[in-house]
Amino acid sequence: MHLVVSNEPLELPAELAAWRSEVEAEEQAKAEARLPHKWNGNCFAVEDLVEERTIHNEEIEIFLKLRRTDYYSFLATQHLDRRFRDGSTPRSRYIDPVGHRRAPAFMSLSLGTSVLVITTDNRVLVCQRGSDVGSRPLHWGVSADEGLSGALDSPSGLPPRLHAAARRGLGEELSLEDHEYQLYLLGVTIDTERHQWDSVFVAYADDLSSSDLDQRLRRGAKDSTLEIASWEFIPFDTKSILERLHANRSGQWWTPIAPVALYLALVHEYGRWRVERSGRQYAKRTARQSS
């Protein structure tokens, strides 16, 4: 995985730039009134993804071409179905004609990392996002997620590194130190509902059981009170995860990345055939119980 950053400024079209000005004014007004508000940090837009293979062993090699942008621009372009003056929307004008992979960089202003943590007693940690996060508050999702930051992940101006950003998220949200786990990149995804780019990782704890990690979370982490409302540990097998995903709990929503990440992590651990076979068996049992 290679990240390449262009220093060419990224500009929003006029109507989107006006929406960004609205966001900036609203957040500044909240800040002046001492109300909870979103501050504007530097982040990255995805301009293109190129897939190649290495010469000697034909391993997949991915190049993500990035541009520098800011968080207020991201918030402005998240209104994919808001109408412009001519009746079109950002989705219909910029995404639908070309598809999500080819959407312009000024619509692809999000690149993050989503990590699932597997403990030594074979439990996977899922967390409910905090009420004040900028995207999908109170939704259940992965163990830790982090958006790439220009200030934190590229302080010297060099291209950021996805693995380093994922490790930063594990440290800030779960108080995990780098030497406590093994980290593997599983894939790059696009949330087609909101057109957000993401990368999926799995982290295997070396010595921490679910009880150990639960106690650490209860003692608090740098960002846990802001970004995590609740958490639980699920047995890391297909049946248990499907049951949890389909549990009929009032007011519960899942982030789009959560089932994708769980599926990729299961396939990484058990193999695609075994996971899909268990999934088909679960579907048959559920159908019989409901008939």
Side-chain angles (χ1 to χ4, degrees):
M1 170 65 73
H2 307 278
L3 273 59
V4 182
V5 180
S6 169
N7 290 320
E8 180 183 356
L10 191 149
E11 297 184 3
L12 298 177
E15 288 176 297
L16 288 175
W19 292 2
R20 184 200 175 282
S21 297
E22 292 176 8
V23 171
E24 183 173 19
E26 290 172 1
E27 298 305 322
Q28 287 182 351
K30 293 177 186 176
E32 292 170 0
R34 300 294 189 269
L35 296 173
H37 63 282
K38 311 268 187 322
W39 55 275
N40 193 30
N42 296 322
C43 54
F44 295 93
V46 179
E47 185 171 40
D48 197 9
L49 180 149
V50 178
E51 301 171 69
E52 296 183 359
R53 289 189 178 271
T54 57
I55 296 176
H56 299 294
N57 53 11
E58 295 190 2
E59 288 290 335
I60 295 176
E61 196 169 18
I62 296 176
F63 295 83
L64 273 174
K65 299 181 179 180
L66 309 179
R67 301 270 293 277
R68 297 184 186 276
T69 183
D70 65 277
Y71 189 62
Y72 286 169
S73 294
F74 161 72
L75 291 178
T77 57
Q78 280 294 282
H79 301 286
L80 295 184
D81 298 308
R82 180 179 175 182
R83 296 198 177 277
F84 294 122
R85 287 187 296 272
D86 66 356
S88 66
T89 65
R91 189 189 305 276
S92 67
R93 186 185 292 185
Y94 299 119
I95 297 176
D96 289 346
V98 296
H100 289 273
R101 278 286 299 272
R102 301 304 175 197
F106 61 77
M107 289 302 303
S108 306
L109 304 188
S110 171
L111 176 59
T113 63
S114 292
V115 189
L116 286 172
V117 175
I118 313 299
T119 57
T120 55
D121 53 343
N122 207 40
R123 299 291 191 273
V124 57
L125 170 66
V126 294
C127 295
Q128 184 184 31
R129 294 170 60 78
S131 59
D132 294 326
V133 298
S135 180
R136 293 190 170 88
L138 298 180
H139 283 56
W140 282 86
V142 296
S143 310
D145 46 28
E146 195 68 48
L148 263 69
S149 162
L152 299 177
D153 298 313
S154 179
S156 63
L158 294 174
R161 293 180 297 128
L162 277 181
H163 284 74
R167 292 183 181 279
R168 177 171 65 83
L170 289 171
E172 292 179 354
E173 297 182 23
L174 307 181
S175 289
L176 288 175
E177 299 181 12
D178 292 357
H179 63 85
E180 293 187 291
Y181 56 85
Q182 305 300 314
L183 186 67
Y184 300 92
L185 174 63
L186 302 183
V188 177
T189 68
I190 304 176
D191 169 4
T192 56
E193 180 184 356
R194 297 193 178 181
H195 191 66
Q196 295 180 359
W197 287 72
D198 204 356
S199 54
V200 177
F201 290 82
V202 62
Y204 293 93
D206 293 329
D207 298 308
L208 290 171
S209 68
S210 56
S211 177
D212 296 330
L213 185 51
D214 180 73
Q215 292 177 25
R216 183 174 296 188
L217 288 170
R218 293 182 186 281
R219 289 193 290 267
K222 178 182 177 182
D223 288 344
S224 62
T225 56
L226 296 175
E227 301 196 16
I228 298 178
S230 183
W231 65 85
E232 63 181 86
F233 294 89
I234 307 171
F236 187 50
D237 61 75
T238 305
K239 177 178 177 292
S240 298
I241 287 174
L242 285 173
E243 288 177 346
R244 179 62 181 84
L245 287 173
H246 290 90
N248 186 17
R249 297 188 181 181
S250 177
Q252 176 181 277
W253 310 276
W254 286 94
T255 63
I257 194 61
V260 175
L262 288 164
Y263 170 75
L264 291 176
L266 286 168
V267 169
H268 179 265
E269 179 68 16
Y270 301 112
R272 192 178 305 273
W273 176 85
R274 183 176 173 184
V275 171
E276 293 186 352
R277 179 173 179 268
S278 297
R280 289 192 295 269
Q281 291 173 342
Y282 173 84
K284 290 178 180 177
R285 287 195 303 270
T286 304
R288 286 196 300 267
Q289 293 168 1
S290 60
S291 62

